[in-house]
Amino acid sequence: FTVVDIDRMFVDGTTERNNYLIWLDNIADDLQQLEDANVPVLWRPYHEAGGGWFWWDKDNGATNYRRLWDDMFSYLVTTRGLHNLIWVWTPGVKGVSTAWYPEGQADILGSDVYNETSGNYVSWYEDLGRFSQTKIKALSETDYMMDPALLSSAPFAYFMIWHTDMFYRNTDSRIQSTYAHWATLNRTNVGQLW
């Protein structure tokens, strides 16, 4: 899928269509195994919409992107009947057009924020409000850990540090203070909630 003609992915009998259907079926089979094991999945397909650096949005525009999203959503939810997926949608850049947003097909809105050494996560949180005021919002990828003190202005439900950046971009004290902060839930205090 390095270079993809999305239009041909929707023409029966083409190599692109056949490969796409095999790909979707393999994904559904794997997700079915997780559903059978009662495992919920934060499912974030076609992430960073409108960024222009992945095959699903590079030179294809919002219409074809939505076509892909709609088709995957329909196949996994309706055709295959998967109910363990929590759909996470992520725009590629702040200010991306709302035409990229899969209205009614996302449970969580995410921001992928890199190189924000100053911790300006509030503007990223507010930008997600253009798509929905009621959806849960997440810091779905980041390199610098957000200061939990900012949660009152940018109450992201969760964050995920990109694996190669965890220790390269964050000091030990920042990592420790973030995980020890009262607003951060981690593995050591999950049992304390119930």
Side-chain angles (χ1 to χ4, degrees), residues 132-181:
S132 173
Q133 290 293 318
T134 59
K135 299 282 183 188
I136 293 170
K137 295 168 183 69
L139 191 52
S140 42
E141 285 182 28
T142 191
D143 51 358
Y144 289 98
M145 285 188 151
M146 181 177 132
D147 180 351
L150 292 173
L151 285 174
S152 59
S153 338
F156 287 109
Y158 67 87
F159 67 90
M160 186 205 61
I161 302 297
W162 192 249
H163 65 97
T164 54
D165 294 327
M166 175 71 165
F167 300 107
Y168 300 111
R169 300 281 180 126
N170 299 282
T171 64
D172 288 347
S173 63
R174 184 165 188 153
I175 294 168
Q176 291 167 0
S177 66
T178 298
Y179 283 116
H181 193 276

Side-chain angles (χ1 to χ4, degrees), residues 45-189:
Y46 308 129
H47 69 293
E48 299 179 1
W53 41 82
F54 294 115
W55 68 263
W56 49 83
D57 71 342
K58 186 175 181 61
D59 302 325
N60 286 301
T63 301
N64 270 335
Y65 173 85
R66 287 293 312 282
R67 193 174 180 193
L68 284 168
W69 183 287
D70 293 347
D71 191 65
M72 178 181 278
F73 187 90
S74 175
Y75 182 72
L76 295 179
V77 174
T78 306
T79 304
R80 292 295 296 264
L82 294 169
H83 300 291
N84 62 325
L85 306 178
I86 302 166
W87 291 77
V88 182
W89 179 78
T90 311
V93 292
K94 197 184 314 178
V96 74
S97 168
T98 56
W100 294 88
Y101 177 54
E103 183 74 40
Q105 297 176 339
D107 303 302
I108 296 175
L109 303 177
S111 286
D112 291 358
V113 181
Y114 287 92
N115 301 313
E116 289 284 344
T117 56
S118 63
N120 182 22
Y121 296 102
V122 175
S123 66
W124 288 88
Y125 183 87
E126 290 172 347
D127 186 62
L128 291 175
R130 293 182 308 112
F131 305 101
S132 173
Q133 290 293 318
T134 59
K135 299 282 183 188
I136 293 170
K137 295 168 183 69
L139 191 52
S140 42
E141 285 182 28
T142 191
D143 51 358
Y144 289 98
M145 285 188 151
M146 181 177 132
D147 180 351
L150 292 173
L151 285 174
S152 59
S153 338
F156 287 109
Y158 67 87
F159 67 90
M160 186 205 61
I161 302 297
W162 192 249
H163 65 97
T164 54
D165 294 327
M166 175 71 165
F167 300 107
Y168 300 111
R169 300 281 180 126
N170 299 282
T171 64
D172 288 347
S173 63
R174 184 165 188 153
I175 294 168
Q176 291 167 0
S177 66
T178 298
Y179 283 116
H181 193 276
W182 66 267
T184 303
L185 177 66
N186 57 59
R187 188 171 60 183
T188 59
N189 57 15

